[in-house]
Amino acid sequence: MKLKWLEEGFSLLGEQGAGFLTIDTLTSRLGVTKGSFYHHFKNWQNYKENLLSLYENERTLRTINIAEQQLSPLDKFELIMKTSLERRYELDVAIRAWALLDPFVASYQQRIDEKRLEYLEEILWQHCHDRERSRDMARLFYSLHVGGQHLLPPVQGQDLEKLYREIQKLL
């Protein structure tokens, strides 16, 4: 049941944003009592910590672990691109917006951004053996990934893949 609480939190965030993420909204959507919430989580802060930890594990660490199973740096980069194209962007946008309002969420978002950029830089360095170039290319790719989510309408699907491929040509 704990995972259901977290998954419902992700759904709510992606659909309506952090302003609607409350214990009352969660209990209503899940059809349970507040007692059920406190059975699984000590308090609201503990819920946020569990939610953001799962987000970090599923959307960053798991992706890196899967990419590491690839042999070449370009295959790793290709898997990262493919994964980012397959994900729904609404949750990422909602958490990033939430981070602007909540320092605790911001600390998670910053750590996630740093891990993603470090990993991209590392696999690109393995390819080109130029630290400055790999850092610049990692920032370029990640800036496109994040920025494209915030345009209206968002850059996604084939349009985003086309832009990713343009960056890939620069490698």
Side-chain angles (χ1 to χ4, degrees):
M1 181 64 179
K2 185 174 184 175
L3 186 57
K4 280 190 177 269
W5 282 99
L6 300 173
E7 289 172 347
E8 193 62 37
F10 289 147
S11 295
L12 190 55
L13 275 169
E15 293 165 15
Q16 299 180 323
F20 291 90
L21 184 60
T22 66
I23 296 171
D24 287 335
T25 307
L26 287 167
T27 56
S28 175
R29 286 176 60 133
L30 291 169
V32 296
T33 65
K34 283 186 183 180
S36 176
F37 177 86
Y38 290 107
H39 174 75
H40 296 289
F41 306 99
K42 294 176 192 167
N43 51 38
W44 182 247
Q45 185 67 26
N46 180 247
Y47 177 78
K48 285 192 328 186
E49 190 172 331
N50 277 266
L51 186 73
L52 294 167
S53 180
L54 181 61
Y55 175 77
E56 180 179 25
N57 287 327
E58 289 298 312
R59 295 243 178 175
T60 300
L61 301 177
R62 184 169 180 248
T63 302
I64 289 171
N65 289 336
I66 292 169
E68 276 302 297
Q69 296 173 16
Q70 304 299 311
L71 295 178
S72 78
L74 288 181
D75 288 342
K76 292 174 186 181
F77 187 75
E78 182 73 27
L79 190 135
I80 297 291
M81 283 193 315
K82 182 179 177 234
T83 301
S84 74
L85 288 167
E86 292 171 350
R87 285 200 176 129
R88 297 198 54 180
Y89 67 90
E90 294 90 352
L91 180 59
D92 291 340
V93 169
I95 289 181
R96 199 168 287 282
W98 191 15
L100 295 173
L101 305 171
D102 185 320
F104 180 74
V105 179
S107 70
Y108 264 84
Q109 185 63 66
Q110 182 176 353
R111 186 171 69 224
I112 289 166
D113 286 343
E114 288 171 357
K115 283 181 185 177
R116 290 174 177 179
L117 280 165
E118 285 172 10
Y119 185 69
L120 284 168
E121 182 181 338
E122 181 59 30
I123 61 177
L124 294 172
W125 179 81
Q126 290 172 13
H127 174 69
C128 72
H129 303 288
D130 179 330
R131 193 55 78 181
E132 185 176 350
R133 180 171 169 74
S134 62
R135 183 174 28 260
D136 291 345
M137 295 303 293
R139 287 181 182 160
L140 180 61
F141 175 80
Y142 197 59
S143 295
L144 173 61
H145 170 73
V146 172
Q149 296 172 344
H150 290 274
L151 292 174
L152 295 175
V155 180
Q156 55 187 348
Q158 291 177 340
D159 292 335
L160 184 57
E161 182 174 9
K162 182 179 176 185
L163 295 175
Y164 282 170
R165 297 289 173 208
E166 289 299 320
I167 291 175
Q168 195 175 29
K169 288 178 191 176
L170 298 173
L171 297 174

